[in-house]
Amino acid sequence: MQIDFQADLPLRDVVFNTLRQAILTGELKPGERLMELHLADRLGVSRTPVREAIRRLELEGLVTMIPRRGAEVARITEKSMSDVLEVRRTLDALCAELACDRITEEDLIRLRKACDHFEQCVGTKDSRKIAQADVALHDIIVEATGNRRLVQMVHNLSEQMYRYRFEYIKDSSQHETLVKEHRIIYESIVNKDKDTAAAAAKLHIDNQKKAIIRQIRLENGRDARD
C-alpha cells in the first residue's frame, strides 16, 4: 500500500483515500486490524491523519470498532452484500434497456473495445486490472442512458459495489463466465433487444451474488476454525 500524495488535497484526505482504496480492493482484508502506529509508519505520516481516516471509514461502514480490540476492516456480510446487489440488479437492467434505445454508434464501438479489453485483462490474471476493466465497461452502458439521475444513483453505489465485485473477480473460475455475459449484454444492445439485455444484466448480478456468498461462507468457515 503506497500513499498517493496529491497537491490539491489535504493530507488527511489523501490518507483517507489511500486506506479506503486498500479496503475496497481487498489489500486490507475483512477482519484485519487497523493499528494507527503501524499504518502511520507504513504510509510515512503521523498518527493523526490515520486516526481521522479510520473514523471516517467507520462512518462509511468500511471499518468496525471492536471493544478491547480496536478498529478492523468491516467484514463482508451476506446481508450488506445482498442489500447493495439487490438495488444494483434493478438499476443495471434499466440501464441495459435504455442503452438499447439511446446508445450512439460511437459508444457502441467503445463498448465493443471495452469487451475486448476486459478479455485481455482476464488473460493477465491481475485482479485489479480485471476489476478496473469491468467498471469501465459498465460505465459506458450507464452513461449511454443519458439519464443524469440514473447515472448519479449508479455511481453512488459503485464504490460499495466495487468491494463485492473485487471479491467475485478474485475467483478465476468465474472469469470465462464474465466474458460471456459481457458479450451477451453487448450483442443485445447492438440488436436493441431490451428483454435479453435486461435479463443478461440481471443474471450478471445474480451470478456475482452466488459466488460472493460462497466466498463469504468459506471465509466464515475459516474464521470459525482459527
Side-chain angles (χ1 to χ4, degrees):
M1 180 173 56
Q2 293 183 339
I3 194 165
D4 180 18
F5 289 101
Q6 300 174 40
D8 58 337
L9 286 179
L11 179 61
R12 64 178 180 274
D13 290 336
V14 173
V15 172
F16 168 73
N17 290 336
T18 300
L19 293 179
R20 190 170 188 270
Q21 187 67 12
I23 291 173
L24 291 172
T25 61
E27 186 175 354
L28 290 174
K29 303 183 184 306
E32 184 173 342
R33 291 184 65 187
L34 300 176
M35 294 176 284
E36 290 178 11
L37 183 58
H38 172 72
L39 290 172
D41 288 343
R42 188 172 173 183
L43 296 175
V45 300
S46 70
R47 295 176 65 175
T48 300
V50 173
R51 185 181 303 116
E52 292 177 358
I54 289 175
R55 288 173 181 166
R56 289 172 64 184
L57 290 166
E58 182 186 9
L59 292 175
E60 286 202 359
L62 293 176
V63 166
T64 304
M65 299 302 296
I66 308 296
R68 296 182 299 278
R69 180 176 171 85
E72 68 174 35
V73 178
R75 298 175 187 274
I76 297 176
T77 66
E78 289 187 32
K79 180 63 169 65
S80 63
M81 181 272 299
S82 294
D83 285 349
V84 172
L85 295 189
E86 189 173 67
V87 177
R88 186 63 191 258
R89 183 180 190 268
T90 299
L91 294 181
D92 277 12
L94 177 58
C95 288
E97 289 180 344
L98 292 177
C100 286
D101 287 335
R102 302 176 182 176
I103 197 166
T104 64
E105 289 299 322
E106 180 181 354
D107 281 341
L108 274 177
I109 293 173
R110 290 177 59 220
L111 185 57
R112 178 177 55 77
K113 290 181 178 178
C115 288
D116 293 340
H117 179 62
F118 179 83
E119 191 165 355
Q120 291 168 4
C121 288
V122 164
T124 70
K125 306 297 184 183
D126 185 323
S127 296
R128 185 168 300 189
K129 288 183 179 180
I130 296 171
Q132 290 171 344
D134 188 50
V135 170
L137 187 156
H138 285 281
D139 280 350
I140 294 172
I141 297 173
V142 175
E143 297 290 342
T145 67
N147 185 318
R148 291 185 180 180
R149 185 57 60 86
L150 179 57
V151 170
Q152 184 180 41
M153 291 173 68
V154 172
H155 285 173
N156 286 343
L157 281 174
S158 289
E159 291 295 342
Q160 300 173 60
M161 180 75 177
Y162 191 88
R163 193 180 187 202
Y164 306 122
R165 178 184 277 129
F166 201 84
E167 287 299 310
Y168 180 48
I169 283 172
K170 285 193 296 187
D171 183 358
S172 60
S173 68
Q174 302 299 320
H175 290 173
E176 287 305 314
T177 298
L178 276 168
V179 170
K180 291 177 183 177
E181 288 172 352
H182 285 159
R183 290 292 179 183
I184 292 172
I185 293 172
Y186 164 72
E187 290 168 4
S188 300
I189 292 175
V190 169
N191 295 325
K192 300 187 181 300
D193 183 347
K194 293 183 181 180
D195 290 341
T196 301
K202 290 178 180 178
L203 179 62
H204 192 53
I205 296 295
D206 290 341
N207 285 338
Q208 289 185 49
K209 182 176 179 179
K210 292 175 185 176
I212 296 167
I213 286 176
R214 285 197 300 269
Q215 183 65 23
I216 290 172
R217 291 177 179 174
L218 177 62
E219 292 296 330
N220 288 342
R222 287 173 180 169
D223 290 344
R225 293 193 296 271
D226 288 344

